[in-house]
Amino acid sequence: MNLPVTADQKLTGDEVRSVEQTSCCIVGGGPAGVMLSLLLARRGVPVTLLEMHKDFDREFRGDTIHPSIMEILDQLGLADKLLEIPHTKITGPTLQFANGPFRPIDLGRLKTRFPYILLVPQVRFLEFIAGEAAKYPHFQLVMHAQVQKLVEEDGAVRGVRYAAPDGIHEFRATLTIGADGRFSQVRRLAGFEPIKTAPPMDVLWFRLPKAPGESEITGGAFGGIGRGRIFIMLERTDYWQSGLVFTKGHYQELRAKGVASIRQSITEIDPRLAAQAEHLTDWQQMTLLSVESSRCPLWHKPGLLLIGDAAHVMSPVGGVGINYAIQDAVAAANILAKPLLTGRVTETDLAEVQRRREWPTRVIQGLQSFMQRNLVANALLAQKAVNIPWQLRLFVRIPILRDLPARLIAFGVRRERLKEI
Ligand SMILES: Cc1cc2nc3c(=O)[nH]c(=O)nc-3n(C[C@H](O)[C@H](O)[C@H](O)COP(=O)(O)OP(=O)(O)OC[C@H]3O[C@@H](n4cnc5c(N)ncnc54)[C@H](O)[C@@H]3O)c2cc1C
C-alpha cells in the first residue's frame, strides 16, 4: 500500500520517494530473514523482506543445513524438494591423529529421517526459501534495499527507511525485525551493544579440487592438526570446501609469508594433499572468517526484534550459526504470527522470543568456549601431530554419552518445531 509522504518526512531533509505499509518488515535476506518471511507469509501475515544486495549470491558464509532444519522443512513439505538441489551429506568428521584416524561424532546414529548435515550452496538455499515465500500473496521481497534509518514514533520503532538505486524509500510496519547479520545496522541504530568474546582462532576458507579417482572420506569431512594449524575439509559435489584454522590475529603474518605458507601448512598436515594444495596461488581464492562470538543482552524494544547473527554471533565450532539463525526464525514465527495478525505486538511477546532463544544460545556458546579453550587452543599450540586424547577415546566408548555431541550439533539445545503448519 502506498501512503502519501507527510509534511513531517519532508521536514527531515531526506527526500522520501515512497512510503509503504506492511505488518512485519524484515531487514536482511540471510537464513534467518528468508525463513521468517516464509513462515509468516504462509500464516497470512503481510511481510516485506528488505535485502541490500541485488541477489542472494554473496561471499562464502557456510552452506550447512542441520537435521533440525531438515525436520522443520519436512513439516512444511519442503525437505524432499530441497534434496533435489545438488548436495552432499556429512555424518561426522574423520580426524587424522598421529596414531591414526578417529571419528568422534557420528550423526548417522541419530534417530531422525535426516541423520546428516546437508551441504547446499547458501545462495541456492536462500533462493529456494524466498521462492517458496513468493507463492504467498502476503510476501514482498525488495532487493537492493539498504536500510539506513529506523522510523521511530512515540518511543516505538514504526518501520525503516532504506536506500534503493532510485533513492530513499520507507516501509512502515507494526513490527521491524533486524535479521541483518553480524554487522547489523538495525542493531546499531537501535542502540544495542553486543557483549563480545574473541575465540582464539580465525579461519581461512577456500576450495581444493577433488583428485580424479579420489576415494570418499568416511563421514564426508576430514580434520587434521599440525604445527599450530587445524585443517578441515568438507566434501562438496565437485570440490573440497577447505578451512585452515590458525591462531587469532596471525592473518597479516600469514599474508606476509605468502600463499606458499598456506600450501605448506596443508601438506605438513597431510602430505597426500600436496598436489591439490598447488591449486592455491592467490589470496583472492580465500575468504577470511574473523571468528567472533557475541550476544546482545537485549534483543528487543517496542516495535523491534533482533534475530540470528544480529542478536548473537556463534563461533564456528560445530557450525551451528545457520541452524541457530533459523531456529530463532521458527520461534519468532510461533510466538509472533498471531499478535501480528491482530496488529498488536507487545513487548511481552518480543521478550518471549528472546527468553525462548537466549538460553539455548548461551548454553551452546558456553560449550563452544569450553572446546575452544581446551581443544582448539591446545591443538593450535601443538608444534607437531598429536595422538588421540585418551579422554576422547573413553568418551566415545560410553554409549549414554557418545551421541550427545552429535545430538547437540544436529538439534541444538532446544529443538524448535512449527506449532501451526
Ligand atoms: C566465512 C564464513 C563461514 C561460515 N560458515 C558457516 C558454516 O559452515 N555453518 C554455519 O552454520 N554457519 C557458518 N557461518 C555463520 C553463518 O553464515 C551465520 O551464522 C548465518 O548466516 C546467520 O544468518 P543470519 O540470517 O542471521 O545473517 P546473515 O546470513 O549474515 O544475513 C544477513 C543479511 O542481511 C543483509 N543486510 C545486512 N545489512 C543490511 C541492511 N542495512 N539492509 C538490508 N539488508 C542488510 C545482508 O546482505 C545479508 O544478506 C559462517 C560465516 C562466515 C562469515
Side-chain angles (χ1 to χ4, degrees), residues 18-252:
S18 71
V19 179
E20 289 182 78
Q21 181 80 43
T22 185
S23 288
C24 185
C25 177
I26 300 177
V27 183
V34 291
M35 187 55 100
L36 182 57
S37 300
L38 168 64
L39 297 177
L40 291 179
R42 62 194 302 289
R43 296 281 302 272
V45 176
V47 50
T48 299
L49 175 61
L50 303 176
E51 166 55 46
M52 71 178 186
H53 287 98
K54 67 177 187 343
D55 55 34
F56 290 116
D57 202 359
R58 296 157 299 164
E59 273 194 338
F60 172 71
R61 54 175 62 199
D63 296 334
T64 50
I65 308 292
H66 283 56
S68 51
I69 308 306
M70 292 303 291
E71 288 189 350
I72 289 158
L73 292 174
D74 204 27
Q75 277 190 289
L76 295 167
L78 296 177
D80 291 324
K81 224 169 150 186
L82 179 67
L83 288 168
E84 287 169 14
I85 299 175
H87 61 265
T88 48
K89 293 171 181 171
I90 291 177
T91 53
T94 300
L95 302 182
Q96 189 62 43
F97 286 94
N99 54 347
F102 180 66
R103 292 195 70 204
I105 293 167
D106 185 1
L107 274 76
R109 281 198 297 259
L110 297 178
K111 289 190 181 68
T112 164
R113 214 193 126 198
F114 311 98
Y116 48 77
I117 293 172
L118 191 77
L119 289 181
V120 164
Q122 198 180 102
V123 54
R124 296 281 96 77
F125 176 73
L126 297 176
E127 285 169 353
F128 170 69
I129 300 294
E132 289 300 320
K135 293 180 180 167
Y136 297 90
H138 307 289
F139 173 67
Q140 183 182 6
L141 171 62
V142 187
M143 301 301 277
H144 243 148
Q146 184 173 22
V147 168
Q148 297 184 333
K149 220 170 177 178
L150 297 178
V151 176
E152 296 188 68
E153 275 171 12
D154 307 324
V157 176
R158 300 279 180 228
V160 296
R161 201 167 277 192
Y162 67 92
D166 65 344
I168 305 291
H169 298 261
E170 196 169 291
F171 254 104
R172 300 257 165 160
T174 308
L175 177 63
T176 299
I177 302 274
D180 51 342
R182 53 163 54 197
F183 306 113
S184 173
Q185 174 80 339
V186 171
R187 181 181 66 211
R188 194 187 62 76
L189 292 168
F192 294 141
E193 193 58 47
I195 302 164
K196 291 188 184 176
T197 54
M201 76 278 200
D202 286 328
V203 188
L204 263 186
W205 285 107
F206 45 87
R207 292 178 178 206
L208 289 183
K210 277 187 171 170
E214 189 175 55
S215 61
E216 292 186 340
I217 287 176
T218 311
F222 167 85
I225 303 163
R227 290 185 189 257
R229 311 261 190 274
I230 301 173
F231 181 60
I232 310 159
M233 287 204 313
L234 309 177
E235 183 162 22
R236 307 305 301 264
T237 45
D238 50 2
Y239 63 93
W240 290 104
Q241 183 74 57
S242 309
L244 192 67
V245 183
F246 55 95
T247 311
K248 192 162 209 54
H250 284 221
Y251 178 61
Q252 289 310 332

